[in-house]
Amino acid sequence: METAIGRSLYAHVIIKLLQGPIYSDDKAAWRDLEVWKSSIQEYFGKIGIDLVISEADGFARIVQPKEAEDEENPLPRLMRKQTLNYETTLLCVILRQMLEEFDIKSEGTKLFLTQKDIKEGIELFYKEQTNKSKLWKELSRPINSLMNIGVLKLTREDTVNKDNNQYEVKRIIKALVDNEKLEEIKLKLEAHANTIQSE
């Protein structure tokens, strides 16, 4: 369905999805997504993109399926894969684990952590104080990386003491790191951390 000027009534939802995930707390966009879901799925389907909606976790995103290597005329990639370094991957796994524990305790729907909370989580992987201190000093880098890909959102900033900065852990992290992947990465990170500490 289109408006008088030819623009579809759900164009704003499509644009938001191209920009990143839509969350259920964006009530207007979420409502329109639910109303026009079939039309939006059809639109993206025509260009080889899947619309994935997680009702349980309250987010929707678009995913470009991996094409077979022998497929003729493969489509260009809309979304480029981002390679995360060790520190960013470690932080991502720690946050995913903390969200899992938060959900088990049923303390609410949104997980908020201060930078101090994040540091305490990192301590489990680093026994040597020198390694912890180095990571703490550079903690802004992996935090910024996860903010850039929408995993973290700064909700309170303290310009005097960064330990008081507060972040929301966005539930899109569950799509990026599922339970099986979580366990796999944790084993690799633990092995890597042990290697670092034995040097």
Side-chain angles (χ1 to χ4, degrees):
M1 186 174 180
E2 297 183 345
T3 63
I5 59 173
R7 187 179 68 190
S8 66
L9 293 172
Y10 48 84
H12 61 293
V13 180
I14 288 173
I15 291 171
K16 278 181 172 286
L17 285 165
L18 287 169
Q19 292 173 334
I22 291 179
Y23 291 93
S24 57
D25 52 9
D26 184 349
K27 298 190 183 301
W30 190 260
R31 181 190 63 241
D32 290 342
L33 172 66
E34 292 181 321
V35 170
W36 300 103
K37 180 170 67 174
S38 296
S39 297
I40 294 170
Q41 284 175 326
E42 182 180 355
Y43 172 87
F44 281 118
K46 289 177 180 178
I47 57 173
I49 304 293
D50 293 337
L51 171 64
V52 179
I53 301 175
S54 175
E55 297 282 354
D57 291 311
F59 69 83
R61 65 176 184 140
I62 54 174
V63 177
Q64 188 171 14
K66 185 178 180 181
E67 295 181 330
E69 293 181 1
D70 59 349
E71 187 167 340
E72 293 183 14
N73 302 317
L75 293 170
R77 301 302 296 176
L78 173 65
M79 295 154 281
R80 294 180 179 178
K81 284 189 175 182
Q82 290 183 301
T83 303
L84 305 180
N85 61 23
Y86 171 76
E87 287 76 16
T88 305
T89 303
L90 171 62
L91 179 55
C92 192
V93 168
I94 288 170
L95 295 175
R96 176 67 176 82
Q97 181 69 37
M98 294 174 91
L99 180 60
E100 189 81 8
E101 293 168 359
F102 173 80
D103 285 343
I104 291 172
K105 294 177 182 177
S106 300
E107 296 177 344
T109 57
K110 293 184 178 183
L111 172 60
F112 296 97
L113 298 170
T114 63
Q115 189 157 306
K116 183 179 179 182
D117 295 330
I118 294 172
K119 284 182 177 180
E120 290 173 354
I122 289 173
E123 286 183 349
L124 299 176
F125 281 85
Y126 284 89
K127 296 177 182 178
E128 296 295 330
Q129 184 61 42
T130 53
N131 291 321
K132 285 191 292 187
S133 298
K134 182 177 183 295
L135 182 57
W136 289 350
K137 186 177 179 181
E138 300 174 353
L139 191 57
S140 60
R141 292 181 185 178
I143 285 177
N144 287 337
S145 294
L146 294 185
M147 287 176 63
N148 289 337
I149 63 174
V151 168
L152 283 176
K153 178 182 179 182
L154 180 65
T155 55
R156 186 185 70 225
E157 185 173 14
D158 189 327
T159 55
V160 178
N161 185 355
K162 288 186 177 181
D163 274 359
N164 294 326
N165 284 357
Q166 180 178 274
Y167 303 89
E168 178 188 352
V169 181
K170 305 299 286 185
R171 289 187 172 272
I172 192 69
I173 195 173
K174 295 182 74 173
L176 301 177
V177 185
D178 60 23
N179 288 331
E180 183 178 343
K181 194 70 175 175
L182 175 63
E183 293 305 316
E184 177 188 333
I185 295 175
K186 278 171 64 178
L187 290 174
K188 290 181 179 179
L189 289 174
E190 286 171 356
H192 184 75
N194 290 334
T195 300
I196 292 174
Q197 291 168 25
S198 63
E199 291 177 354

